[in-house]
Amino acid sequence: MNEAGGDEGGGGSSSSNTGQQTEDKSSGGKVLGKLSAIAIGPGWTKVSCPCCVSEGIEPLVLVKLGEKVRPETKRWLIRLIGAPQKDGGAALLAHPGEDAGGDIIVVSAPRCTLLRATEELGLCKTYHNGDMEAFSYNDREHFKDSDKMEVFLTLAEREYIVKYELDGLWAQKDLRIPGLPENYTLQHRDNIWQKLGSAGVIVDTFPLHKHDKLKDLSEAWYCGNQLAQPLDSVNAYFGSTVAFYFSFLDFYTWSLLPPAILGLSITYFSGEVHKEMVESVSASQVTIVDDDAGPGHMIQAVFSMLWSTVVIELWKRRSSSLSYRWGNLHLAERFAEPRPGFHGDLGVNPVTGRVEPLFAEWQRDLRMALVSVPVVGMFLGLVVMGMVCFYWGEAQVKQLHQDWDSLLTQTLLYMPSVLHIVYTNMLANVYKKVAQSLTEYENHREESAFQKHLTAKVLVFTFFNYFAVLFHIAFFKQDVPLLRKRLASLLIVSQLVNQVTEVVIPFLVDRLVNAPHRTEGEDIPQEDKFRKQITLPVFPGLFGEYIELLVQFGYLSLFSCVYPLTAVLLLINNLTEIRSDAYKICKLFRKPFSPPAADMGVWQLVSLSCVSVSF
């Protein structure tokens, strides 16, 4: 990683300083080089390596500065970004924008920085013999298209490398940031990018959309009538993290065809079409002559168990194939730097020998045992309390309806369900914030460990929250008609609510609120196009999407024997989910960074756990 040193932490080479000082003083502070320039203008920081000199510079990342950031602070930051790595800089290209005193910095990356980072990340690229090999900077001439960065690396990889280098800036010694009060001082081994964010100098850092490429991707993805997804194009534009999600969604959706056909056949040939629909959708009481409903449900149960195993095994093969094709099969296991929120007493790391914050493992385990586990248990208890109150309220309104038998009491029959849904949703929203705070309090060093513990907390609560009522009805009340009706209600109502909240509302907000303020056209300055992307909301990530898929997987694996139409409803939902999710990430949110990934990460392990539970 890079460490900043020198006067004012600049570490800037003379070449980068020269690039900053060549401003046209007669133009009121305007920089001569435009962001859309096809040649290296004086606005971009210079590169000292001859092989990195290019005819054009591709803007990759936008850095949004705070409103009160002074010009000298911005100049210092640009010098730091453009300084060579041996001087503690990021060895990137920086542009101050059309207005040198403005609040944005546009960042790109030269060829050598991209190639070195490719080796550090452990990416595999096409060797001269056509095989995929781990890239080596010293052997770069033998890799195909290593002199053409737009072909050699995908857009998502180039953008992530910029973030990787910016996040890897560390202070070599104590230094003061120009333009800030003296109390804002970088200490030795401080993460510069993190400190600048906490000081309000940097508000946001995000990759830039390329509208021509985004338009082509949209037409091939969700605008047409095609059934297949352009996964290679998704990987090139959004990165492997996003591509693996859509690949799994696509694979899982089409895997629902066999259980959907079986479920329709069982429902039809058992003569239960009318009975299933009345029991599941209506609130009326239906007399059940035979709860076992023949051998069909047993066949569905055995099939679901086998189907779950086969689907996961086939997905593992497909995941490995995609990982090899995208060059991520053998990512380097490098020593992870401390995550931004990690804190502790400064000391010498016994592994690297570097001075960095240290936090004892026993302290983390103590926090988890004495704080995290009891708090999570308390929320699980609140789920049980809500379930008990739901059954109590249901019994009360039924008794009230039997005594009065009026239109008002008939309406009140739905109140326990409505109140229970509101309660569980509010509890889930509160728990997400609590789980985030608990994981922060545990003070995990690596980002991967942080995500694993956060995922475990949310997954345990979500599984309990969604399935507690179903398990209680199945094993304690042993009321098959009620279980069937409850499952159908969850599948239908929850899917409708998800589609409205995730797609319809963001679409209406985008069209009615944001669209009237947009002005499109080729004559719009490039910087104005960049600034429009700042107004887009931040992409919320794929956490909620994976949770939704895993809940679906649980419904199908555990309860489809009770309600054979489960796979049919899930298939219909997911066919629209693919296009709606694609539309959201392309149009409604800011483009996210996507680190290289060899598979779905922790979600791959979670999927295997769900299969073991289904057995």
Side-chain angles (χ1 to χ4, degrees):
M1 291 299 170
N2 315 324
E3 296 187 354
D7 295 339
E8 293 183 343
S13 64
S14 58
S15 59
S16 61
N17 292 339
T18 302
Q20 276 308 118
Q21 293 169 357
T22 53
E23 297 179 359
D24 187 1
K25 302 300 182 180
S26 62
S27 60
K30 296 290 184 179
V31 180
L32 291 176
K34 301 299 182 182
L35 296 179
S36 57
I38 60 173
I40 296 181
W44 289 98
T45 52
K46 303 297 183 180
V47 293
S48 56
C49 180
C51 67
C52 294
V53 177
S54 174
E55 295 181 355
I57 299 179
E58 177 189 30
L60 295 174
V61 172
L62 185 71
V63 178
K64 178 69 168 61
L65 305 179
E67 296 180 356
K68 298 182 180 180
V69 173
R70 301 176 63 178
E72 56 265 34
T73 307
K74 181 178 180 179
R75 288 194 295 268
W76 170 83
L77 183 56
I78 291 178
R79 288 198 302 271
L80 177 66
I81 294 173
Q85 292 182 353
K86 62 183 179 64
D87 295 329
L92 299 173
L93 300 172
H95 194 292
E98 303 291 339
D99 185 358
D103 59 351
I104 67 169
I105 298 175
V106 184
V107 186
S108 185
R111 175 175 178 264
C112 285
T113 301
L114 292 172
L115 293 179
R116 287 193 177 94
T118 301
E119 180 180 11
E120 291 181 19
L121 293 172
L123 299 179
C124 295
K125 295 298 175 182
T126 307
Y127 206 57
H128 65 84
N129 60 3
D131 295 335
M132 295 293 290
E133 300 285 348
F135 178 76
S136 172
Y137 181 80
N138 295 329
D139 194 26
R140 59 188 179 277
E141 301 301 332
H142 293 91
F143 284 83
K144 288 186 177 181
D145 300 315
S146 61
D147 57 338
K148 302 175 183 177
M149 289 298 98
E150 293 190 1
V151 179
F152 185 71
L153 294 171
T154 66
L155 175 62
E157 288 172 342
R158 298 195 299 274
E159 291 173 335
Y160 178 76
I161 287 174
V162 172
K163 179 181 184 296
Y164 173 78
E165 296 296 341
L166 294 176
D167 289 341
L169 289 171
W170 296 83
Q172 289 181 332
K173 64 178 183 180
D174 295 351
L175 52 91
R176 189 180 66 84
I177 303 175
L180 295 184
E182 293 186 0
N183 57 327
Y184 288 102
T185 302
L186 289 172
Q187 305 293 329
H188 178 57
R189 289 298 303 165
D190 275 349
N191 184 287
I192 297 177
W193 214 250
Q194 176 191 348
K195 287 293 184 179
L196 292 177
S198 60
V201 175
I202 297 175
V203 176
D204 208 346
T205 305
F206 62 92
L208 291 168
H209 273 301
K210 304 295 184 290
H211 292 288
D212 53 343
K213 296 182 179 180
L214 182 61
K215 181 180 179 181
D216 295 338
L217 177 61
S218 301
E219 292 176 352
W221 199 0
Y222 62 85
C223 292
N225 297 321
Q226 64 279 352
L227 295 178
Q229 293 193 79
L231 295 177
D232 291 334
S233 299
V234 175
N235 172 68
Y237 191 84
F238 285 106
S240 55
T241 303
V242 175
F244 269 116
Y245 163 73
F246 280 98
S247 177
F248 179 75
L249 177 59
D250 178 79
F251 177 81
Y252 167 66
T253 299
W254 293 114
S255 298
L256 289 172
L257 274 175
I261 295 173
L262 178 63
L264 284 172
S265 302
I266 291 175
T267 304
Y268 179 79
F269 288 108
S270 62
E272 295 185 341
V273 177
H274 178 265
K275 185 173 68 175
E276 291 278 358
M277 297 303 296
V278 172
E279 290 177 358
S280 304
V281 180
S282 70
S284 59
Q285 298 293 325
V286 179
T287 303
I288 305 300
V289 178
D290 182 13
D291 286 344
D292 295 333
H297 295 296
M298 182 63 69
I299 295 174
Q300 181 77 40
V302 175
F303 179 84
S304 297
M305 181 177 64
L306 298 177
W307 174 87
S308 302
T309 305
V310 172
V311 165
I312 291 300
E313 291 301 319
L314 292 178
W315 164 249
K316 287 166 63 178
R317 296 186 62 179
R318 181 177 181 178
S319 175
S320 298
S321 176
L322 291 174
S323 181
Y324 175 81
R325 192 166 78 203
W326 295 336
N328 300 332
L329 186 59
H330 301 292
L331 294 176
E333 293 187 4
R334 58 193 182 280
F335 187 76
E337 295 288 343
R339 54 181 297 273
F342 179 70
H343 59 273
D345 299 327
L346 286 178
V348 178
N349 191 302
V351 178
T352 63
R354 297 186 304 188
V355 177
E356 63 178 47
L358 300 178
F359 191 77
E361 189 68 27
W362 68 267
Q363 291 180 286
R364 184 178 299 111
D365 294 338
L366 190 63
R367 292 185 177 187
M368 294 171 61
L370 298 182
V371 179
S372 297
V373 173
V375 171
V376 173
M378 181 190 69
F379 273 88
L380 296 181
L382 292 176
V383 173
V384 175
M385 185 185 71
M387 182 177 64
V388 172
C389 293
F390 162 69
Y391 286 125
W392 178 82
E394 190 178 55
Q396 295 298 317
V397 295
K398 282 184 178 180
Q399 183 64 40
L400 187 65
H401 181 61
Q402 291 177 359
D403 295 340
W404 290 6
D405 193 17
S406 65
L407 181 61
L408 176 61
T409 57
Q410 186 175 2
T411 305
L412 289 177
L413 289 174
Y414 296 93
M415 286 303 297
S417 296
V418 173
L419 293 177
H420 186 246
I421 292 174
V422 173
Y423 172 79
T424 54
N425 288 338
M426 291 178 60
L427 192 63
N429 291 331
V430 173
Y431 180 79
K432 288 180 182 179
K433 298 179 180 179
V434 172
Q436 183 82 20
S437 300
L438 288 175
T439 313
E440 290 280 359
Y441 176 71
E442 292 168 4
N443 197 27
H444 296 279
R445 182 185 183 277
E446 294 87 8
E447 182 66 26
S448 59
F450 178 88
Q451 292 297 332
K452 287 180 181 179
H453 283 81
L454 177 61
T455 301
K457 292 182 182 66
V458 176
L459 190 63
V460 167
F461 176 82
T462 302
F463 189 87
F464 201 76
N465 201 27
Y466 278 96
F467 293 100
V469 174
L470 297 178
F471 276 110
H472 184 266
I473 295 174
F475 295 104
F476 292 93
K477 295 177 71 74
Q478 297 183 356
D479 190 341
V480 175
L482 178 60
L483 177 62
R484 187 177 294 125
K485 182 177 70 173
R486 180 76 180 188
L487 183 61
S489 301
L490 283 172
L491 291 172
I492 297 173
V493 176
S494 64
Q495 290 174 9
L496 289 176
V497 171
N498 286 338
Q499 292 293 335
V500 170
T501 56
E502 294 181 5
V503 181
V504 177
I505 294 178
F507 174 79
L508 293 176
V509 172
D510 180 68
R511 287 303 178 96
L512 300 179
V513 178
N514 298 331
H517 300 284
R518 294 199 190 108
T519 54
E520 301 293 340
E522 296 296 332
D523 56 339
I524 299 177
Q526 189 78 356
E527 181 176 336
D528 291 344
K529 294 181 180 179
F530 293 162
R531 289 184 178 276
K532 289 177 184 177
Q533 298 185 33
I534 302 177
T535 61
L536 293 174
V538 178
F539 181 64
L542 299 172
F543 196 94
E545 306 297 339
Y546 276 119
I547 288 290
E548 182 180 345
L549 288 179
L550 290 173
V551 170
Q552 285 188 16
F553 199 85
Y555 286 151
L556 185 60
S557 302
L558 301 174
F559 297 102
S560 60
C561 59
V562 176
Y563 189 66
L565 295 179
T566 299
V568 178
L569 296 177
L570 294 180
L571 178 62
I572 296 173
N573 174 80
N574 288 359
L575 287 175
T576 60
E577 183 84 8
I578 292 175
R579 293 180 180 268
S580 62
D581 285 352
Y583 173 79
K584 284 191 303 181
I585 194 172
C586 288
K587 295 295 185 181
L588 302 183
F589 295 102
R590 198 183 298 172
K591 186 180 181 182
F593 284 109
S594 180
D599 49 33
M600 295 190 300
V602 65
W603 299 107
Q604 193 105 335
L605 178 62
V606 170
S607 300
L608 295 175
S609 301
C610 287
V611 172
S612 64
V613 170
S614 67
F615 278 97

